[in-house]
Amino acid sequence: MTASKSETRSDEQAGSSRRNPLDIAKTVAATGGAVGILVVLMFPVYWIFTASLSQGTGLMSSEGIFADPATYNLEAYHWVLFESDFRDALVNSLVVVFVTVSVSMSVVIPGAYALSRRNFVGREKVLYGYVLFTQVGAGLSVATLVALYALFVNLGLSDSLLVLGLFYAAGAIPFNTWLLKTFMDNIPVSYEEAAIVDGAGRWDVIREVILPLSKPGIAVVLVFTFLAGWNEFIVARTLLSPDNYTLSVELYSLATAGRYETPWTEFSAFAILFAMPVAIIYFFAQSYVESGLSFGGMEG
C-alpha cells in the first residue's frame, strides 16, 4: 500500500470519527424517509398481489384490508391462464408491440443519428417542429380520436392489429428520436474520426462505434416504445373488436363484465400478469435505462 493511499484511508477514518450526532440523525432520517416513500409506492402493488391470492371475489376481507393468509391460493391465476381470454389477448398485444417496436426502432435510430451528426437545410426546424406538433396533437386527443376513428373506418383499417401497431409507432417516433438524438450528441465526434482514420467505412462507424456507445439511450427508447404499445388503452378500445382485444382492453372488459359485481380476485391476478413483462424487461435493462435516463455523456 502506498503512502498516499494510507493517508487517504486515514483521512476517511478521521472523517468518520468526526461525524457528530446531528449528521447521524440526518442520515437516519433520510434513510427512514426513503424507506417510507418506498413502502407507500409499493403498497398498491402488494395489496393487489395479496388480493390475487385471496379466496372469494373481494379486495378486502371482513376482518381487514388484507385477506387471511391461510386462505391464499392460486385459483385466480389458474382461471386467468386457462379459462379466460388472457392468452388470446396476450398474442394480440405481442403482435401490436412487435410492430410498434420494430417500426419505431428502424426509424428512430437512423433518424436520431442523422439529426445528431448531419447538417441539412431546415434541420432545426424539422426537429423542433415535429416534436412540437406531436405534443400539441396529444392535447387534442379527444378530437384526434374521433377523426382517427372516422378515417380508419372509412378506409377499412379498423380492427387491425397491424394498423394499430403502426399508429403507436407513428406516435412514439418523434419524442424517442429526440431522446436518442440528445444522447448521441454526447458521444464525441472524435471517436468516429479516429475510426475513419483507421480505415472504417461509414456503416462500420455506425455499427461498431455509434450503436455500442448508444446502448443506454437505445435501451431507454426501447422501453418507452414497448410501453407505448403495451399499455395503451383508449385507441385500442375504440378501434378493435372483442376478438382482437389487447391485454389492456381485456383487463378493462374483465372489470366491467359483471353488471353488479366485479371479480376483483381474478382482476388482480390478470393485472399482475399484465404488468409482469414490463417489470421483467426493466429488471434486465435496469443498468442501461438508468444511465440512459441520466444522459451523463461520455468520458473523453
Side-chain angles (χ1 to χ4, degrees), residues 3 33 44-45 61 84 102 123 133 136 158 163-164 167 170-171 186 203-204 207 214 220 223 225-226 237 254 263 288:
V45 178
S61 68
S84 71
S102 58
R123 171 176 173 271
F133 177 77
V136 172
S158 61
V163 173
L164 186 63
F167 174 80
N186 293 314
W203 287 108
D204 295 329
R207 186 177 66 253
S214 300
V220 172
V223 171
T225 307
F226 178 87
R237 178 69 177 82
L254 178 62
Y288 288 121

PDB file of all heavy atoms in Angstrom, residues 3 33 44-45 61 84 102 123 133 136 158 163-164 167 170-171 186 203-204 207 214 220 223 225-226 237 254 263 288:
ATOM      1  N   ALA A   3       2.023   5.350   0.297  1.00  0.00           N
ATOM      2  CA  ALA A   3       1.823   6.315   1.372  1.00  0.00           C
ATOM      3  C   ALA A   3       0.571   7.150   1.144  1.00  0.00           C
ATOM      4  O   ALA A   3      -0.163   7.463   2.069  1.00  0.00           O
ATOM      5  CB  ALA A   3       3.057   7.217   1.470  1.00  0.00           C
ATOM      6  N   GLY A  33     -36.998   8.187   5.657  1.00  0.00           N
ATOM      7  CA  GLY A  33     -37.897   8.810   4.686  1.00  0.00           C
ATOM      8  C   GLY A  33     -37.934   8.061   3.368  1.00  0.00           C
ATOM      9  O   GLY A  33     -39.000   7.877   2.776  1.00  0.00           O
ATOM     10  N   PRO A  44     -49.766  -0.316  -3.119  1.00  0.00           N
ATOM     11  CA  PRO A  44     -50.822  -0.792  -4.047  1.00  0.00           C
ATOM     12  C   PRO A  44     -50.454  -2.107  -4.731  1.00  0.00           C
ATOM     13  O   PRO A  44     -51.326  -2.967  -4.932  1.00  0.00           O
ATOM     14  CB  PRO A  44     -50.933   0.359  -5.056  1.00  0.00           C
ATOM     15  CG  PRO A  44     -50.419   1.557  -4.338  1.00  0.00           C
ATOM     16  CD  PRO A  44     -49.326   1.044  -3.454  1.00  0.00           C
ATOM     17  N   VAL A  45     -49.172  -2.261  -5.083  1.00  0.00           N
ATOM     18  CA  VAL A  45     -48.744  -3.499  -5.743  1.00  0.00           C
ATOM     19  C   VAL A  45     -48.890  -4.676  -4.791  1.00  0.00           C
ATOM     20  O   VAL A  45     -49.394  -5.747  -5.173  1.00  0.00           O
ATOM     21  CB  VAL A  45     -47.292  -3.378  -6.229  1.00  0.00           C
ATOM     22  CG1 VAL A  45     -46.827  -4.687  -6.866  1.00  0.00           C
ATOM     23  CG2 VAL A  45     -47.142  -2.225  -7.205  1.00  0.00           C
ATOM     24  N   SER A  61     -61.109  -8.350   3.081  1.00  0.00           N
ATOM     25  CA  SER A  61     -61.878  -9.314   3.851  1.00  0.00           C
ATOM     26  C   SER A  61     -62.697  -8.579   4.896  1.00  0.00           C
ATOM     27  O   SER A  61     -62.527  -7.381   5.120  1.00  0.00           O
ATOM     28  CB  SER A  61     -60.930 -10.309   4.532  1.00  0.00           C
ATOM     29  OG  SER A  61     -60.174  -9.658   5.532  1.00  0.00           O
ATOM     30  N   SER A  84     -59.811 -17.934 -19.046  1.00  0.00           N
ATOM     31  CA  SER A  84     -60.188 -16.612 -19.566  1.00  0.00           C
ATOM     32  C   SER A  84     -59.610 -16.418 -20.969  1.00  0.00           C
ATOM     33  O   SER A  84     -58.995 -17.325 -21.547  1.00  0.00           O
ATOM     34  CB  SER A  84     -59.669 -15.520 -18.631  1.00  0.00           C
ATOM     35  OG  SER A  84     -58.259 -15.418 -18.734  1.00  0.00           O
ATOM     36  N   SER A 102     -40.561  -2.662 -33.708  1.00  0.00           N
ATOM     37  CA  SER A 102     -39.721  -2.859 -34.894  1.00  0.00           C
ATOM     38  C   SER A 102     -39.789  -1.643 -35.826  1.00  0.00           C
ATOM     39  O   SER A 102     -38.748  -1.181 -36.322  1.00  0.00           O
ATOM     40  CB  SER A 102     -40.154  -4.129 -35.635  1.00  0.00           C
ATOM     41  OG  SER A 102     -41.517  -4.066 -36.005  1.00  0.00           O
ATOM     42  N   ARG A 123     -32.861  21.657 -40.681  1.00  0.00           N
ATOM     43  CA  ARG A 123     -32.647  20.611 -39.678  1.00  0.00           C
ATOM     44  C   ARG A 123     -33.275  20.971 -38.332  1.00  0.00           C
ATOM     45  O   ARG A 123     -34.027  20.177 -37.760  1.00  0.00           O
ATOM     46  CB  ARG A 123     -31.155  20.383 -39.511  1.00  0.00           C
ATOM     47  CG  ARG A 123     -30.762  19.471 -38.356  1.00  0.00           C
ATOM     48  CD  ARG A 123     -29.264  19.256 -38.353  1.00  0.00           C
ATOM     49  NE  ARG A 123     -28.830  18.535 -37.172  1.00  0.00           N
ATOM     50  CZ  ARG A 123     -28.493  19.129 -36.037  1.00  0.00           C
ATOM     51  NH1 ARG A 123     -28.566  20.446 -35.950  1.00  0.00           N
ATOM     52  NH2 ARG A 123     -28.129  18.420 -34.998  1.00  0.00           N
ATOM     53  N   PHE A 133     -45.336  19.553 -32.824  1.00  0.00           N
ATOM     54  CA  PHE A 133     -46.609  19.158 -33.427  1.00  0.00           C
ATOM     55  C   PHE A 133     -47.206  17.941 -32.732  1.00  0.00           C
ATOM     56  O   PHE A 133     -48.405  17.902 -32.441  1.00  0.00           O
ATOM     57  CB  PHE A 133     -46.401  18.861 -34.910  1.00  0.00           C
ATOM     58  CG  PHE A 133     -47.642  18.383 -35.603  1.00  0.00           C
ATOM     59  CD1 PHE A 133     -48.638  19.276 -35.966  1.00  0.00           C
ATOM     60  CD2 PHE A 133     -47.827  17.040 -35.881  1.00  0.00           C
ATOM     61  CE1 PHE A 133     -49.784  18.844 -36.600  1.00  0.00           C
ATOM     62  CE2 PHE A 133     -48.965  16.590 -36.512  1.00  0.00           C
ATOM     63  CZ  PHE A 133     -49.956  17.494 -36.875  1.00  0.00           C
ATOM     64  N   VAL A 136     -48.532  19.010 -29.212  1.00  0.00           N
ATOM     65  CA  VAL A 136     -49.787  19.737 -29.305  1.00  0.00           C
ATOM     66  C   VAL A 136     -50.910  18.794 -29.697  1.00  0.00           C
ATOM     67  O   VAL A 136     -52.032  18.860 -29.190  1.00  0.00           O
ATOM     68  CB  VAL A 136     -49.660  20.891 -30.327  1.00  0.00           C
ATOM     69  CG1 VAL A 136     -51.022  21.538 -30.577  1.00  0.00           C
ATOM     70  CG2 VAL A 136     -48.671  21.921 -29.829  1.00  0.00           C
ATOM     71  N   SER A 158     -59.918  -0.259 -39.558  1.00  0.00           N
ATOM     72  CA  SER A 158     -60.185  -0.506 -38.137  1.00  0.00           C
ATOM     73  C   SER A 158     -60.114  -2.002 -37.855  1.00  0.00           C
ATOM     74  O   SER A 158     -60.114  -2.833 -38.778  1.00  0.00           O
ATOM     75  CB  SER A 158     -61.579   0.030 -37.770  1.00  0.00           C
ATOM     76  OG  SER A 158     -62.563  -0.632 -38.529  1.00  0.00           O
ATOM     77  N   VAL A 163     -52.342  -2.218 -38.165  1.00  0.00           N
ATOM     78  CA  VAL A 163     -52.571  -0.775 -38.259  1.00  0.00           C
ATOM     79  C   VAL A 163     -52.435  -0.121 -36.881  1.00  0.00           C
ATOM     80  O   VAL A 163     -51.880   0.977 -36.750  1.00  0.00           O
ATOM     81  CB  VAL A 163     -53.962  -0.502 -38.856  1.00  0.00           C
ATOM     82  CG1 VAL A 163     -54.304   0.989 -38.795  1.00  0.00           C
ATOM     83  CG2 VAL A 163     -54.013  -0.991 -40.296  1.00  0.00           C
ATOM     84  N   LEU A 164     -52.937  -0.791 -35.857  1.00  0.00           N
ATOM     85  CA  LEU A 164     -52.813  -0.241 -34.505  1.00  0.00           C
ATOM     86  C   LEU A 164     -51.339  -0.118 -34.107  1.00  0.00           C
ATOM     87  O   LEU A 164     -50.925   0.888 -33.516  1.00  0.00           O
ATOM     88  CB  LEU A 164     -53.549  -1.142 -33.506  1.00  0.00           C
ATOM     89  CG  LEU A 164     -53.632  -0.622 -32.071  1.00  0.00           C
ATOM     90  CD1 LEU A 164     -54.434   0.677 -32.014  1.00  0.00           C
ATOM     91  CD2 LEU A 164     -54.248  -1.667 -31.154  1.00  0.00           C
ATOM     92  N   PHE A 167     -49.876   2.807 -35.873  1.00  0.00           N
ATOM     93  CA  PHE A 167     -50.324   4.060 -35.261  1.00  0.00           C
ATOM     94  C   PHE A 167     -49.513   4.356 -33.988  1.00  0.00           C
ATOM     95  O   PHE A 167     -49.065   5.487 -33.774  1.00  0.00           O
ATOM     96  CB  PHE A 167     -51.813   3.964 -34.922  1.00  0.00           C
ATOM     97  CG  PHE A 167     -52.328   5.153 -34.162  1.00  0.00           C
ATOM     98  CD1 PHE A 167     -52.635   6.328 -34.818  1.00  0.00           C
ATOM     99  CD2 PHE A 167     -52.497   5.089 -32.785  1.00  0.00           C
ATOM    100  CE1 PHE A 167     -53.094   7.430 -34.119  1.00  0.00           C
ATOM    101  CE2 PHE A 167     -52.960   6.188 -32.077  1.00  0.00           C
ATOM    102  CZ  PHE A 167     -53.260   7.366 -32.744  1.00  0.00           C
ATOM    103  N   ALA A 170     -46.067   5.529 -35.020  1.00  0.00           N
ATOM    104  CA  ALA A 170     -46.069   6.912 -35.506  1.00  0.00           C
ATOM    105  C   ALA A 170     -46.095   7.903 -34.344  1.00  0.00           C
ATOM    106  O   ALA A 170     -45.464   8.959 -34.404  1.00  0.00           O
ATOM    107  CB  ALA A 170     -47.271   7.143 -36.419  1.00  0.00           C
ATOM    108  N   GLY A 171     -46.806   7.556 -33.294  1.00  0.00           N
ATOM    109  CA  GLY A 171     -46.855   8.440 -32.133  1.00  0.00           C
ATOM    110  C   GLY A 171     -45.599   8.396 -31.292  1.00  0.00           C
ATOM    111  O   GLY A 171     -45.254   9.382 -30.627  1.00  0.00           O
ATOM    112  N   ASN A 186     -23.958  13.501 -27.047  1.00  0.00           N
ATOM    113  CA  ASN A 186     -22.912  13.422 -26.028  1.00  0.00           C
ATOM    114  C   ASN A 186     -21.779  12.467 -26.399  1.00  0.00           C
ATOM    115  O   ASN A 186     -20.822  12.332 -25.650  1.00  0.00           O
ATOM    116  CB  ASN A 186     -23.528  12.982 -24.698  1.00  0.00           C
ATOM    117  CG  ASN A 186     -24.452  14.036 -24.128  1.00  0.00           C
ATOM    118  OD1 ASN A 186     -24.106  15.208 -24.098  1.00  0.00           O
ATOM    119  ND2 ASN A 186     -25.635  13.633 -23.698  1.00  0.00           N
ATOM    120  N   TRP A 203     -20.689   2.922 -42.539  1.00  0.00           N
ATOM    121  CA  TRP A 203     -21.556   1.944 -41.873  1.00  0.00           C
ATOM    122  C   TRP A 203     -20.815   1.212 -40.764  1.00  0.00           C
ATOM    123  O   TRP A 203     -21.402   0.825 -39.757  1.00  0.00           O
ATOM    124  CB  TRP A 203     -22.105   0.951 -42.880  1.00  0.00           C
ATOM    125  CG  TRP A 203     -23.158   1.541 -43.765  1.00  0.00           C
ATOM    126  CD1 TRP A 203     -23.059   1.854 -45.083  1.00  0.00           C
ATOM    127  CD2 TRP A 203     -24.473   1.934 -43.350  1.00  0.00           C
ATOM    128  NE1 TRP A 203     -24.226   2.423 -45.540  1.00  0.00           N
ATOM    129  CE2 TRP A 203     -25.114   2.479 -44.502  1.00  0.00           C
ATOM    130  CE3 TRP A 203     -25.174   1.893 -42.152  1.00  0.00           C
ATOM    131  CZ2 TRP A 203     -26.416   2.958 -44.469  1.00  0.00           C
ATOM    132  CZ3 TRP A 203     -26.468   2.371 -42.111  1.00  0.00           C
ATOM    133  CH2 TRP A 203     -27.076   2.895 -43.261  1.00  0.00           C
ATOM    134  N   ASP A 204     -19.487   1.000 -40.970  1.00  0.00           N
ATOM    135  CA  ASP A 204     -18.694   0.381 -39.898  1.00  0.00           C
ATOM    136  C   ASP A 204     -18.655   1.274 -38.662  1.00  0.00           C
ATOM    137  O   ASP A 204     -18.702   0.797 -37.525  1.00  0.00           O
ATOM    138  CB  ASP A 204     -17.264   0.117 -40.393  1.00  0.00           C
ATOM    139  CG  ASP A 204     -17.223  -0.907 -41.508  1.00  0.00           C
ATOM    140  OD1 ASP A 204     -18.095  -1.803 -41.502  1.00  0.00           O
ATOM    141  OD2 ASP A 204     -16.337  -0.812 -42.382  1.00  0.00           O
ATOM    142  N   ARG A 207     -22.023   0.918 -36.966  1.00  0.00           N
ATOM    143  CA  ARG A 207     -22.234  -0.400 -36.351  1.00  0.00           C
ATOM    144  C   ARG A 207     -21.277  -0.665 -35.191  1.00  0.00           C
ATOM    145  O   ARG A 207     -21.662  -1.262 -34.182  1.00  0.00           O
ATOM    146  CB  ARG A 207     -22.069  -1.480 -37.424  1.00  0.00           C
ATOM    147  CG  ARG A 207     -22.421  -2.888 -36.933  1.00  0.00           C
ATOM    148  CD  ARG A 207     -22.315  -3.923 -38.025  1.00  0.00           C
ATOM    149  NE  ARG A 207     -20.943  -4.110 -38.482  1.00  0.00           N
ATOM    150  CZ  ARG A 207     -20.476  -3.681 -39.642  1.00  0.00           C
ATOM    151  NH1 ARG A 207     -21.265  -3.020 -40.471  1.00  0.00           N
ATOM    152  NH2 ARG A 207     -19.226  -3.874 -40.004  1.00  0.00           N
ATOM    153  N   SER A 214     -24.269   3.832 -27.849  1.00  0.00           N
ATOM    154  CA  SER A 214     -25.642   4.334 -27.655  1.00  0.00           C
ATOM    155  C   SER A 214     -26.545   3.330 -26.961  1.00  0.00           C
ATOM    156  O   SER A 214     -27.767   3.561 -26.867  1.00  0.00           O
ATOM    157  CB  SER A 214     -26.259   4.703 -29.017  1.00  0.00           C
ATOM    158  OG  SER A 214     -25.503   5.690 -29.659  1.00  0.00           O
ATOM    159  N   VAL A 220     -33.408   2.905 -23.284  1.00  0.00           N
ATOM    160  CA  VAL A 220     -34.493   3.776 -22.805  1.00  0.00           C
ATOM    161  C   VAL A 220     -35.577   3.908 -23.873  1.00  0.00           C
ATOM    162  O   VAL A 220     -36.775   3.780 -23.591  1.00  0.00           O
ATOM    163  CB  VAL A 220     -33.932   5.171 -22.441  1.00  0.00           C
ATOM    164  CG1 VAL A 220     -35.072   6.137 -22.137  1.00  0.00           C
ATOM    165  CG2 VAL A 220     -33.001   5.059 -21.245  1.00  0.00           C
ATOM    166  N   VAL A 223     -37.618   0.693 -24.133  1.00  0.00           N
ATOM    167  CA  VAL A 223     -38.593   0.529 -23.052  1.00  0.00           C
ATOM    168  C   VAL A 223     -39.789   1.448 -23.259  1.00  0.00           C
ATOM    169  O   VAL A 223     -40.952   1.033 -23.126  1.00  0.00           O
ATOM    170  CB  VAL A 223     -37.932   0.803 -21.685  1.00  0.00           C
ATOM    171  CG1 VAL A 223     -38.976   0.859 -20.574  1.00  0.00           C
ATOM    172  CG2 VAL A 223     -36.891  -0.268 -21.369  1.00  0.00           C
ATOM    173  N   THR A 225     -40.891   2.698 -26.058  1.00  0.00           N
ATOM    174  CA  THR A 225     -41.668   2.248 -27.213  1.00  0.00           C
ATOM    175  C   THR A 225     -42.494   1.017 -26.867  1.00  0.00           C
ATOM    176  O   THR A 225     -43.651   0.886 -27.280  1.00  0.00           O
ATOM    177  CB  THR A 225     -40.728   1.932 -28.386  1.00  0.00           C
ATOM    178  OG1 THR A 225     -39.875   3.057 -28.637  1.00  0.00           O
ATOM    179  CG2 THR A 225     -41.523   1.627 -29.646  1.00  0.00           C
ATOM    180  N   PHE A 226     -41.881   0.108 -26.108  1.00  0.00           N
ATOM    181  CA  PHE A 226     -42.617  -1.078 -25.668  1.00  0.00           C
ATOM    182  C   PHE A 226     -43.834  -0.680 -24.836  1.00  0.00           C
ATOM    183  O   PHE A 226     -44.946  -1.205 -25.039  1.00  0.00           O
ATOM    184  CB  PHE A 226     -41.690  -1.980 -24.853  1.00  0.00           C
ATOM    185  CG  PHE A 226     -42.357  -3.208 -24.315  1.00  0.00           C
ATOM    186  CD1 PHE A 226     -42.431  -4.369 -25.073  1.00  0.00           C
ATOM    187  CD2 PHE A 226     -42.925  -3.211 -23.042  1.00  0.00           C
ATOM    188  CE1 PHE A 226     -43.058  -5.503 -24.585  1.00  0.00           C
ATOM    189  CE2 PHE A 226     -43.551  -4.333 -22.543  1.00  0.00           C
ATOM    190  CZ  PHE A 226     -43.610  -5.483 -23.312  1.00  0.00           C
ATOM    191  N   ARG A 237     -59.258   0.331 -27.524  1.00  0.00           N
ATOM    192  CA  ARG A 237     -60.664   0.082 -27.173  1.00  0.00           C
ATOM    193  C   ARG A 237     -61.597   0.615 -28.253  1.00  0.00           C
ATOM    194  O   ARG A 237     -62.672   0.059 -28.497  1.00  0.00           O
ATOM    195  CB  ARG A 237     -60.969   0.741 -25.824  1.00  0.00           C
ATOM    196  CG  ARG A 237     -62.416   0.596 -25.352  1.00  0.00           C
ATOM    197  CD  ARG A 237     -62.721  -0.846 -24.994  1.00  0.00           C
ATOM    198  NE  ARG A 237     -64.067  -1.014 -24.475  1.00  0.00           N
ATOM    199  CZ  ARG A 237     -65.164  -1.124 -25.233  1.00  0.00           C
ATOM    200  NH1 ARG A 237     -65.031  -1.100 -26.560  1.00  0.00           N
ATOM    201  NH2 ARG A 237     -66.355  -1.274 -24.693  1.00  0.00           N
ATOM    202  N   LEU A 254     -62.800  -7.206 -18.239  1.00  0.00           N
ATOM    203  CA  LEU A 254     -62.985  -8.066 -17.070  1.00  0.00           C
ATOM    204  C   LEU A 254     -63.577  -7.283 -15.906  1.00  0.00           C
ATOM    205  O   LEU A 254     -64.450  -7.780 -15.174  1.00  0.00           O
ATOM    206  CB  LEU A 254     -61.646  -8.684 -16.669  1.00  0.00           C
ATOM    207  CG  LEU A 254     -61.648  -9.571 -15.428  1.00  0.00           C
ATOM    208  CD1 LEU A 254     -62.551 -10.779 -15.638  1.00  0.00           C
ATOM    209  CD2 LEU A 254     -60.229 -10.039 -15.111  1.00  0.00           C
ATOM    210  N   PRO A 263     -65.209  -9.287 -10.389  1.00  0.00           N
ATOM    211  CA  PRO A 263     -64.399 -10.345  -9.776  1.00  0.00           C
ATOM    212  C   PRO A 263     -62.991  -9.843  -9.481  1.00  0.00           C
ATOM    213  O   PRO A 263     -62.047 -10.082 -10.245  1.00  0.00           O
ATOM    214  CB  PRO A 263     -64.397 -11.434 -10.855  1.00  0.00           C
ATOM    215  CG  PRO A 263     -64.552 -10.694 -12.143  1.00  0.00           C
ATOM    216  CD  PRO A 263     -65.414  -9.503 -11.835  1.00  0.00           C
ATOM    217  N   TYR A 288     -28.825  -0.152 -18.070  1.00  0.00           N
ATOM    218  CA  TYR A 288     -28.811   0.670 -19.276  1.00  0.00           C
ATOM    219  C   TYR A 288     -29.804   1.816 -19.161  1.00  0.00           C
ATOM    220  O   TYR A 288     -29.535   2.950 -19.565  1.00  0.00           O
ATOM    221  CB  TYR A 288     -29.157  -0.186 -20.493  1.00  0.00           C
ATOM    222  CG  TYR A 288     -28.062  -1.133 -20.907  1.00  0.00           C
ATOM    223  CD1 TYR A 288     -28.277  -2.500 -20.946  1.00  0.00           C
ATOM    224  CD2 TYR A 288     -26.805  -0.659 -21.271  1.00  0.00           C
ATOM    225  CE1 TYR A 288     -27.271  -3.373 -21.330  1.00  0.00           C
ATOM    226  CE2 TYR A 288     -25.796  -1.523 -21.647  1.00  0.00           C
ATOM    227  CZ  TYR A 288     -26.042  -2.882 -21.679  1.00  0.00           C
ATOM    228  OH  TYR A 288     -25.050  -3.740 -22.049  1.00  0.00           O
TER     229      TYR A 288
END
